[in-house]
Amino acid sequence: MDIIETDVVRVVFDPEGGVIAEVIFKHGGRQISPLHKAPWVRDNEQLNTGIPLIERKLAGDFFCAPFALPSAEVPLHGWTANGDWAASPDAQQAGVGLYRLRQNVQGGLATKEIRLHPGHPVVYQTHTITGGTGTIPIAHHTMLHVPGGVSLSFSDKRFGSTGPCAPETDPSRGRSILAYPQTFDTLSSIRKSDGSVTDASRYPFETRHEDVVVLTEKQGASFGWSAALAAKDGFIFFSVKDALVLPHTVLWMSNGGRAYPPWSGRHTAVLGIEEAAISFHLPDTHTADMNVALGLDLAPGRTTKIRYAFGAIEVPSGWTRVSEISLADGVLIISDEAGRRCTIPFDCRFLDYDRNSTSF
């Protein structure tokens, strides 16, 4: 394990699989650790090596290229989540980790930068892919453990959807409870398979289920954000992204809905907030006219940077839900439904922010 650290953030990074296994955010005398760690990882269980490496090491955050879609040649979530990341000898600066993937991504070269800034409760990540061929789905697979529940908020979306079929269709193996496929305008009014309507903007909203929904950014949006306010657990998790490259937010709701090993009904109160560019979870009727990225296009000589940052702070007194996240000169501003604001230091240059404009 590699340790990347500043005065307010400690990142534990596993080069085998490229997993950010743990992040500790330090606020005064308190430490916040919002990221998930699977029970078998937490208890150091030795799983069958036939299980993909990333599932055996399931924790925190990792980069998927391709997202899901295992094959005979590529494991679940790609070599970026199952391969070996070699540290760069150039990574001499405190608070910085530079890595290169030993395996290729459809013929392309992948590098990873994890960067921290003193005083910033933020983990900045940049993945760069050079060369390769074809189009692949990609995602940051960030997972929270939220036993006390969270209220969810996002940048404005064009619509939300569930995929063509449920994640779990065999009652002897697991259970999904949402209706598949469907489209919806808001998470607070999403249909279940029994015809009823539930508010999925507050999670968990039911027990023993495994469900996935996708939120799609509005066409042309270049700045996207997600927020999860965990009032009982005392933190606000937030993430920001380049929405032109990552125009989808995949919500993986894993709350004891898988009965088979290693899940065995014990993988509970887990929420993946996975910023992505995908097509396979989207309704077929929407992909043709989406006009947003449905994957990452690779080509010889082409270089693409995928920028994504996340952080966590303590919940200010009285806050129940985040209403907006915006950037100003050197700060990230989080607002609540009552109009109260919390300002934290942020490197706006990370997303090529134009300080004279309201967009990227």
Side-chain angles (χ1 to χ4, degrees):
M1 297 286 188
D2 293 353
I3 305 299
I4 306 166
E5 191 169 19
T6 62
D7 56 331
V8 295
V9 182
R10 176 182 171 89
V11 173
V12 180
F13 177 71
D14 188 349
E16 185 182 33
V19 180
I20 291 181
E22 184 178 31
V23 180
I24 297 172
F25 298 95
K26 306 169 188 176
H27 289 268
R30 187 184 170 210
Q31 295 186 344
I32 299 173
S33 299
L35 300 189
H36 169 59
K37 187 172 291 185
W40 52 90
V41 176
R42 187 176 59 246
D43 296 339
N44 294 313
E45 295 180 21
Q46 299 301 308
L47 301 185
N48 189 310
T49 54
I51 296 174
L53 176 75
I54 194 55
E55 192 170 303
R56 285 182 271 137
K57 289 178 172 276
L58 188 65
D61 171 68
F62 48 90
F63 180 64
C64 309
F67 178 54
L69 301 184
S71 68
E73 296 78 26
V74 180
L76 175 69
H77 294 316
W79 287 115
T80 54
N82 294 271
D84 302 309
W85 289 88
S88 168
D90 297 329
Q92 302 296 325
Q93 184 179 348
V96 178
L98 301 176
Y99 300 87
R100 174 175 175 169
L101 183 65
R102 296 186 189 276
Q103 296 81 5
N104 66 68
V105 177
Q106 288 190 192
L109 168 68
T111 62
K112 179 192 299 280
E113 177 184 289
I114 302 170
R115 183 175 292 272
L116 309 176
H117 293 294
H120 293 208
V122 181
V123 178
Y124 301 89
Q125 292 185 71
T126 302
H127 287 85
T128 304
I129 300 182
T130 302
T133 57
T135 300
I136 59 172
I138 59 171
H140 265 278
H141 200 293
T142 310
M143 298 168 290
L144 307 180
H145 185 226
V146 289
V150 288
S151 60
L152 301 174
S153 310
F154 305 94
S155 48
D156 289 341
K157 306 299 183 187
R158 180 176 172 183
F159 65 90
S161 58
T162 59
C165 62
E168 298 297 336
T169 57
D170 182 348
S172 69
R173 289 174 55 81
R175 175 177 182 251
S176 297
I177 63 172
L178 299 182
Y180 294 80
Q182 68 171 301
T183 58
F184 52 88
D185 294 325
T186 172
L187 272 177
S188 61
S189 183
I190 185 170
R191 287 184 294 112
K192 295 168 61 177
S193 57
D194 63 6
S196 63
V197 174
T198 192
D199 181 0
S201 73
R202 298 185 181 277
Y203 177 83
F205 52 86
E206 194 162 330
T207 59
R208 295 194 310 103
H209 71 103
E210 195 85 12
D211 284 285
V212 175
V213 304
V214 180
L215 309 177
T216 298
E217 301 286 343
K218 289 189 174 181
Q219 184 178 342
S222 55
F223 173 57
W225 59 268
S226 299
L229 191 152
K232 290 185 178 180
D233 296 317
F235 67 82
I236 297 176
F237 169 88
F238 60 89
S239 65
V240 297
K241 64 180 180 180
D242 180 346
L244 294 175
V245 177
L246 300 170
H248 303 111
T249 300
V250 179
L251 299 180
W252 175 35
M253 302 170 177
S254 183
N255 194 26
R258 287 175 170 165
Y260 49 91
W263 313 89
S264 304
R266 57 181 173 157
H267 195 258
T268 60
V270 179
L271 178 67
I273 302 180
E274 303 164 16
E275 306 300 346
I278 60 169
S279 63
F280 55 85
H281 278 310
L282 299 169
D284 293 339
T285 55
H286 285 76
T287 55
D289 63 348
M290 190 74 66
N291 292 321
V292 297
L294 299 177
L296 183 67
D297 295 326
L298 306 180
R302 176 179 293 167
T303 296
T304 303
K305 292 184 180 295
I306 302 100
R307 297 183 176 94
Y308 166 77
F310 70 84
I313 60 172
E314 289 187 289
V315 179
S317 177
W319 285 38
T320 59
R321 187 185 295 270
V322 171
S323 64
E324 183 67 37
I325 292 180
S326 59
L327 300 180
D329 190 6
V331 296
L332 181 145
I333 303 166
I334 303 176
S335 304
D336 82 335
E337 294 177 309
R340 293 169 289 198
R341 308 199 325 171
C342 178
T343 300
I344 66 172
F346 188 85
D347 180 10
C348 294
R349 296 170 300 175
F350 176 71
L351 292 171
D352 295 330
Y353 183 58
D354 179 0
R355 291 177 176 80
N356 298 313
S357 171
T358 58
S359 64
F360 291 80

